[in-house]
Structure formats: C-alpha cells, structure tokens
Amino acid sequence: MTISVFADAGTPVLHLAGGPCLSLGGRRYEVPEGSKRLLVFVALRTGRIERRCAAGTLWPTGDDARAAGNLRSALWRLRTLPVELIHADKWTLCMSGAVTVDLSVINAWAARLIQRTEEPADLVIAPWWGDALDLLPGWYDDWLLMERERLRQRMLHAIEAVSERLRASSRCAEAVEAALTAVGVEPLRESAQRALIEAHLAEGNWVEARRSYETYRALLRSELGAEPAADLIRRLPVPRRRARIGRRRSPVPQ
C-alpha cells in the first residue's frame, strides 16, 4: 500500500489493510507478533477501552490475572517501535492521537463516494483496494469478522460509485476496470454486474456487455436458481439477425 495515500512522510500510519504494520518516514516497521491482536483490537474501536475488557476478549482462557499479564506483555513489546501506538493508563487503553489508522482514511474515502462528495483524487483505481477488501485474511476472531464484512460492503459500494463516476466522465476503460474489481470480489452481486455492463455499453462494446450479462445469468442460475433483474436485459441492444445473401430459390417443378 502506498504510504503517501494516507499521510505525509512524517506522520506515523498504522496499516491494518495489508498489515498490521507501521510506516513512518518512508520506512515500514513490523509489529511484534505477540502484540498484533491487541493493536488491531484497539485500532478498530473509537475512544477508550477498559483494560479488563480487552484482556478478557483477547485472552479468554485462563483467569483474569493471566489475561492481565498477557496484556502487559503485549503493551511492553510495542515499545520496540519508534512511536507510541497505544496510550495506556491504569484502567483504559486507546490509540495514540499522533497515529493515523489507515481504515479511518479508507472509510472517509468511501463515505465521500457514497455521499457523492468525492474529489478528483478519489477517482483512482488504487493498489490498496485488494487489501482493504480482504482485511487481515486468516484472522477469525469474532470481534474482527463484523468489522471485516462492514468494510467489505463499504468498499464495494464505493468502488461501484467510482465506476459510475468514471463512466460519466467518459473514462470508460477505467470504469470497466473498477467494476471488474467489484465483480471479482462478489460475482453474484447484481449492482457490481450492472456497473460492469453499463461501463461496457458506455464504451460502445455491446458485445462485451452481452457476454458479461450471459456469464452472470448462467452463474446466477447455477448458484441460486434465479434470474437477473428484468431491467438489466432491457438495457442491452437486441442482436440483429444476419440477412440471407442471394436470391431465394424457386421451388423445383414437380
């Protein structure tokens, strides 16, 4: 993920998409393994968290004393990084105000697109989309699953909006690429398929639009036994039948 997307080189950025890791001054710093879950848990929440709540959630097996000890160890390991990431007092934890969390920037980007208040720089197909669409793969903690799905849905809505705005600006090739990203993540998502078909039509490639529709229709039938929305097919031009060449033969006399 490009660091400059989220902050200037002097601002510490915690990357959860494609991480967790810290970037500062153009350098990447790895988070100690024993501290990753604590750091992500705190970063995904706004405001302060009770230490007891964090310890009990992250280390549910064993007694409270052992969980509290694990929490102290995780905080201690974070001291190896060049900046303070978590501010901790006797009772609570919170992210340091000096650190930018990439998901905050991503959520703000998505909100601008969904609310139609985007800036020109927002209409760029970014390399970090893939990491954000699959947040922390391989992590199956209950407290992360809902946040992962929430971010995925926001990202899909935003990417579809990017495709729509690019199409409206006659940047059709980019509109197709953005729509293909959404379709690749969720092939059964009709709004993503619609964005792709509309982008092909705007480019004048009605054959590509028809092919995309037929592929989606076959997949929908196979997976769900359903049909696409009726208005989707109505957007597609009806193929012309090829005219027969030559004169029609007269019947052979009996």
Side-chain angles (χ1 to χ4, degrees):
M1 186 179 296
T2 305
I3 295 170
S4 61
V5 171
F6 299 103
D8 59 62
T11 302
V13 180
L14 175 62
H15 299 270
L16 300 186
C21 67
L22 174 72
S23 63
L24 177 63
R27 292 185 57 187
R28 175 188 174 108
Y29 297 87
E30 297 299 330
V31 176
E33 191 63 36
S35 302
K36 286 182 178 180
R37 293 174 68 249
L38 172 63
L39 184 57
V40 172
F41 182 80
V42 176
L44 289 178
R45 284 152 180 78
T46 57
R48 292 187 169 273
I49 308 165
E50 289 190 7
R51 292 178 69 125
R52 183 174 58 181
C53 173
T57 301
L58 296 173
W59 296 280
T61 59
D63 55 25
D64 291 347
R66 184 173 182 179
N70 290 334
L71 176 61
R72 288 193 297 271
S73 295
L75 288 169
W76 181 81
R77 291 188 187 96
L78 287 175
R79 294 178 182 176
T80 61
L81 296 171
V83 294
E84 180 188 58
L85 296 180
I86 295 179
H87 177 72
D89 59 29
K90 186 176 180 180
W91 304 108
T92 63
L93 307 167
C94 68
M95 287 297 299
S96 168
V99 177
T100 297
V101 179
D102 64 345
L103 293 195
S104 298
V105 180
I106 292 171
N107 278 316
W109 166 82
R112 289 194 297 273
L113 284 158
I114 293 168
Q115 297 166 10
R116 307 184 74 87
T117 59
E118 73 277 357
E119 303 167 0
D122 293 328
L123 300 179
V124 175
I125 298 173
W128 49 264
W129 282 5
D131 290 331
L133 284 163
D134 189 17
L135 179 66
L136 298 170
W139 290 44
Y140 301 106
D141 303 83
D142 290 341
W143 49 266
L144 175 64
L145 296 179
M146 183 62 71
E147 187 59 36
R148 176 186 291 152
E149 181 60 20
R150 181 183 295 112
L151 179 64
R152 191 178 74 93
Q153 290 296 328
R154 287 179 66 84
M155 283 289 299
L156 286 171
H157 280 105
I159 290 171
E160 290 165 4
V162 168
S163 181
E164 176 195 338
R165 309 295 197 280
L166 290 172
R167 174 168 52 84
S169 300
S170 299
R171 294 164 62 182
C172 297
E174 294 169 273
V176 169
E177 187 176 351
L180 281 171
T181 299
V183 168
V185 172
E186 189 51 77
L188 293 173
R189 185 180 173 93
E190 187 155 299
S191 55
Q193 295 282 359
R194 186 183 299 274
L196 177 58
I197 290 170
E198 293 284 359
H200 281 315
L201 290 174
E203 202 171 21
N205 291 328
W206 71 266
V207 173
E208 293 288 353
R210 170 69 64 170
R211 183 182 293 116
S212 295
Y213 173 82
E214 295 297 345
T215 300
Y216 172 54
R217 185 185 187 192
L219 179 64
L220 202 60
R221 283 177 169 180
S222 172
E223 295 292 327
L224 301 177
E227 292 285 337
D231 68 317
L232 199 57
I233 186 64
R234 286 198 292 266
R235 290 285 295 117
L236 299 174
V238 177
R240 295 180 180 177
R241 293 183 177 180
R242 296 181 62 184
R244 291 184 179 180
I245 300 176
R247 298 170 60 185
R248 188 175 179 179
R249 289 185 178 183
S250 301
V252 177
Q254 298 295 328

